[in-house]
Each structure stands twice: as C-alpha cells, then as structure tokens.
Amino acid sequence: MKKHEIVGYNRANLGKTESKALRAEGYVPGVLYGGKSQVHFYAPAILFRQLLSSPEAYEVTLNIEGDEYVAILQDTQFHPVNDQLIHADFLEIVEGKDIKVEVPIRFVGTAPGVQKGGKLIQKLRKLKLQGAADRIPDYVDVNVKDLDLGKTIKVGAVQLEGVEILDGPLLPIASIEIPRAMRGKTA
C-alpha cells in the first residue's frame, strides 16, 4: 500500500458544537479505533486531499501531538450539499490482526473481444480484501486476455496469495459488450 502522513491534534471537547467550530476553521474531526483505545483528533482538511482524490488504498501515519499510529482510512462522511469532508474514521493497523480494505482493480492484457469490435465494460471498480496489512496489494491485476465477445470475468476467477477476497465469487468484474451493429452477425 502507498504511504501518507497526517499531522493532527487531540480533541479535548467532543460533540456537535465543537465539531462545527473545527470545520469552520478548516479542520476535519476524526476518530482512530481498533487499537488499545479510541483516539479523537482533528487535522487540516487539506491533508486529506490525496487520500480522497485517488482510488488507491493508503497506509496512513497519523502523527497526533507526537504520538504516531499506523492506520487505514476506514470511512468518510461528506456534507450533503457542498461535498466537504466532515468526518474521517481510521482503523489502526495492529500486528497480527487482519484488516479489511477495498483495493482498486487494474486490467492486464488485451481482450480479443475488444479487437473484434466489442466494448470492455467494467462492472466492479474495487475488490474487498481481508488479510495482514503487509500482504495487501496496491492493485488487483485482472487478466482479460481470454475475454471474447459476450463473455464475462467474475470475482471467482481472481486468485490472490495471502489475502482473502470478501466479494462473492459470482460477482462480475468486467464483460465484453457486443455492439448493436454486430449482434446478429456473431459467429
């Protein structure tokens, strides 16, 4: 996983009023859980931009007033009107404990169905994986070299070492759509 650092400060007062005041000053309140105890903190909103703007899974180093924690971004909440980040939840990575994370899918190879005029339709963007943090890949590579017109590749066809795939094996990842002009002519 890629690495990112966020520098934050402990929150003394919890609650709606204090959270609104922090957001008005340009900070995002957050919670770190999964370790020995929960840590409530706030950090500048600009530090979250890289985490939110890319599909990759990041290993985040949280530096909260000198205490460092290694975590992953578990959940985010956005304002319903202006789409500003209003809260972030982090899951601490503890040695010997499995984590659940969504990892983006990347296609490898050229599908014969695309070369014949079909269109590659991506139905699933990320796979849910569970395993040790050091075993989680940056991307899940899916080979599409055997995908012909009208065919589909499913989650069950993906094999990964050291991690468990939590998505159902019959869930489609991608398919080759037959163009309307070719529908009656396929042989």
Side-chain angles (χ1 to χ4, degrees):
M1 285 191 286
K2 292 187 175 183
K3 300 191 184 315
H4 185 69
E5 184 175 14
I6 291 180
V7 179
Y9 310 96
N10 280 316
R11 284 174 59 190
N13 300 323
L14 305 177
K16 187 189 295 188
T17 308
E18 281 73 21
S19 295
K20 281 185 176 181
L22 286 173
R23 289 185 198 110
E25 295 174 18
Y27 293 103
V28 176
V31 178
L32 172 70
Y33 55 87
K36 294 177 183 150
S37 64
Q38 287 187 358
V39 178
H40 297 271
F41 67 96
Y42 64 94
I46 193 80
L47 296 178
F48 290 89
R49 183 174 289 162
Q50 185 179 358
L51 290 175
L52 301 174
S53 64
S54 75
E56 286 106 15
Y58 281 90
E59 181 180 293
V60 181
T61 303
L62 290 171
N63 185 344
I64 302 169
E65 294 184 4
D67 296 331
E68 289 202 353
Y69 305 94
V70 178
I72 58 167
L73 184 63
Q74 187 73 15
D75 190 30
T76 53
Q77 296 171 11
F78 294 91
H79 191 276
V81 176
N82 61 18
D83 275 344
Q84 284 184 327
L85 180 64
I86 59 174
H87 188 79
D89 287 336
F90 289 89
L91 177 66
E92 187 173 357
I93 297 174
V94 179
E95 197 68 36
K97 213 174 177 185
D98 286 353
I99 60 170
K100 293 178 186 174
V101 67
E102 288 188 343
V103 177
I105 294 171
R106 183 170 59 183
F107 294 125
V108 177
T110 305
V114 172
Q115 292 175 333
K116 294 177 185 173
K119 185 176 180 183
L120 180 67
I121 305 293
Q122 186 172 1
K123 309 228 179 186
L124 192 63
R125 303 253 175 233
K126 294 183 175 187
L127 270 181
K128 291 183 190 116
L129 304 179
Q130 178 177 350
D134 58 342
R135 302 290 303 221
I136 303 280
D138 286 341
Y139 291 96
V140 175
D141 288 328
V142 175
N143 196 340
V144 293
K145 68 176 174 63
D146 297 328
L147 222 50
D148 210 348
L149 289 171
K151 301 294 181 195
T152 302
I153 189 161
K154 298 185 178 171
V155 172
V158 177
Q159 300 297 322
L160 294 172
E161 293 292 321
V163 294
E164 179 185 354
I165 300 173
L166 299 178
D167 287 318
L170 298 178
L171 203 61
I173 295 175
S175 63
I176 302 291
E177 188 177 86
I178 302 171
R180 194 175 0 174
M182 293 178 64
R183 284 201 179 134
K185 302 175 189 173
T186 56

